[in-house]
Amino acid sequence: MENQSKTPGIKRVTVFGGASPRPGELPYLEAEHLGSLLGRAGLTVINGGYIGTMEAVSKGASLAGGHVIGVTCKEIESWRNVGANPYVQEEIRCDTLMDRLNVLVHECDAAIALPGGVGTLAEILLLWNLLVIHAIPSKPLILVGEGWKAVLSAFFNHCNEYSPANQRALLSLVPDVAAAFEIILHANEH
């Protein structure tokens, strides 16, 4: 089966994730595996373009034949002395973090969030809110791992009246990258 027919409609997947994982660590290896799955499927991978999870998913996608877009910005680079990772094939430079966030959430057909910190949480929440208010076309938003499940469970438990079922349904919580990839493969079958 050709790659294009495996993912009808989904061509570009943004992957969110933290900068902390290092080569050889399990979160890095998982992100690299996800990148490889996406790259072999012929998908373009969009991410923040820097180190950690971003580097790992870029590496996996690039080595598997996928196209990698890194979205970088001056504000981050003035805070942390870092540039685009070596696996980024196309760099989109932004001046501000807000510009960068807009590219990450608007230029994809689906998004996957791997474990991360406050930046990853901000990316998830921005995309989720845009989906809630129908400011962008509907797209899968897939959160990987027990950490996101715990964070959202606490939110839902304490702010239940502010998060109705139809808004919760916009999120897919999955245990691992293989399950996230399966959602991408089957997103257009329903």
Side-chain angles (χ1 to χ4, degrees), residues 85-99:
N85 72 66
Y87 305 101
V88 167
Q89 298 159 337
E90 178 183 344
E91 184 177 7
I92 297 175
R93 293 281 301 156
C94 299
D95 287 330
T96 69
L97 180 60
M98 291 307 297
D99 292 338

Side-chain angles (χ1 to χ4, degrees), residues 54-73:
M54 297 166 276
E55 177 183 288
V57 77
S58 297
K59 179 180 179 183
S62 179
L63 295 179
H67 184 69
V68 178
I69 299 172
V71 185
T72 59
C73 84

